[in-house]
Amino acid sequence: MHNTPLASDDAALSTLRLRVDAGVAWVELNRPEVLNSFNETMLRELAGVWARLRLDDEVRVVVVTGAGEKAFCTGYDRSGLDADGADDESTALLKASSPFLRADVGDFLGPKSCGLWKPVIAAVNGIACGGAFYLLGESDIIIAADRATFFDPHTTFGMPAVFEPLHLLRRMPLGEVLRLTLLGSAERMSAQRALDIGLVSEVVPSDQLRAAAGAIAGTIAALPPLAVQATLRSIWAGSQMTPGQALGVAHALVAAGTDPAALAAGQQAFRTGDRPQWRLR
């Protein structure tokens, strides 16, 4: 079993843990002392990790989760900001001389914003709030521990919530996005409610979360990667284009995602009656 770091020296990662096991990259947000909130260092490290995973053919699927038992991610670590948020070196990554050049945290946090088009599974182990929705919004499958909760505190603290609800609109009904966002810190959505409305696809006991994420990731990692990546692209294209536009690029995606060797192996498995073990969800 392969269980080694990627090519770069992962000892240099101070805010993340990273390992690869049987085609699955496990990315763990590792700042549990501040509920896995992200700072400039984590933003830079995440962007670098997404870029590395994109180019590593051994990696077929990614699982992202949080360290510790309390939180998946609680957004930006505002304890690193000074009183007015100005002239603080910790915010240099997002500053620019023009509003048209200013960076957003999503440029670093989101795997797809960083060009990673391999399946990403988010395993939400606790609180997910605020900037966590950048990560969840660009994940492909979200599962949650039964203790997980979701909320967006922006309005409570006088900040507009903009990017976060825009990400959530792809995954939740409009009324639920409005309620979660406008109520700020006054209300939290339970894992069960998140399951009911489709934000997450499975809720499991906390001590089974990583095993559940690993089972999903392992199943996908065993499939032909080109077919998986073309399928992923087509579904996201369909979510962002009109139906006619998406169908217009469908033939190109089929052609790009068809590996003759993988197709022949699949046809042979079909003829011989070889079928995977399945489970009912």
Side-chain angles (χ1 to χ4, degrees):
M1 176 183 294
H2 175 78
N3 189 9
T4 59
L6 299 182
S8 296
D9 180 11
D10 291 312
L13 295 174
S14 63
T15 66
L16 305 173
R17 290 180 183 148
L18 174 65
R19 66 183 177 90
V20 177
D21 185 351
V24 179
W26 292 80
V27 179
E28 183 178 71
L29 311 181
N30 188 31
R31 302 184 76 223
E33 69 282 1
V34 288
L35 301 179
N36 297 319
S37 57
F38 50 82
N39 57 8
E40 299 281 326
T41 301
M42 183 183 283
L43 291 177
R44 293 180 188 275
E45 290 185 351
L46 267 176
V49 164
W50 298 145
R52 290 162 55 189
L53 297 180
R54 174 177 179 267
L55 297 175
D56 192 319
D57 290 340
E58 187 172 359
V59 174
R60 298 184 174 192
V61 185
V62 179
V63 178
V64 59
T65 192
E69 299 181 352
K70 293 183 178 180
F72 170 74
C73 176
T74 55
Y76 207 114
D77 181 5
R78 302 193 65 80
S79 67
L81 302 179
D82 61 12
D84 58 9
D87 301 323
D88 190 317
E89 291 184 0
S90 69
T91 64
L93 188 65
L94 305 180
K95 288 183 177 179
S97 58
S98 163
F100 298 102
L101 302 177
R102 186 180 184 276
D104 180 70
V105 296
D107 299 336
F108 305 88
L109 279 177
K112 291 173 178 59
S113 294
C114 293
L116 176 63
W117 285 95
K118 299 177 182 182
V120 175
I121 299 162
V124 183
N125 55 302
I127 298 169
C129 70
F133 296 129
Y134 284 95
L135 280 169
L136 298 184
E138 292 195 13
S139 295
D140 302 296
I141 297 172
I142 305 172
I143 66 172
D146 52 10
R147 67 183 174 214
T149 56
F150 305 82
F151 66 102
D152 190 334
H154 279 82
T155 56
T156 296
F157 299 105
M159 297 177 287
V162 179
F163 287 95
E164 293 81 2
L166 289 176
H167 277 293
L168 290 176
L169 279 171
R170 290 200 293 252
R171 315 198 75 112
M172 291 168 54
L174 174 61
E176 293 287 349
V177 175
L178 286 164
R179 178 167 180 156
L180 181 145
T181 307
L182 293 177
L183 285 175
S185 296
E187 184 174 274
R188 299 190 182 191
M189 178 185 293
S190 68
Q192 182 59 51
R193 183 59 182 165
L195 178 65
D196 292 342
I197 65 172
L199 175 60
V200 307
S201 62
E202 186 175 8
V203 175
V204 299
S206 298
D207 61 355
Q208 298 177 25
L209 181 65
R210 296 200 180 213
I216 296 170
T219 298
I220 297 173
L223 300 174
L226 202 60
V228 168
Q229 291 166 26
T231 300
L232 189 69
R233 284 276 192 165
S234 69
I235 294 170
W236 278 88
S239 74
Q240 296 169 342
M241 298 177 175
T242 67
Q245 289 171 330
L247 289 171
V249 300
H251 287 295
L253 289 168
V254 170
T258 300
D259 177 357
L263 183 60
Q267 291 298 103
Q268 177 62 21
F270 184 82
R271 283 193 296 269
T272 59
D274 185 13
R275 301 289 187 273
Q277 293 285 336
W278 57 270
R279 69 183 181 105
L280 186 64
R281 177 165 67 90

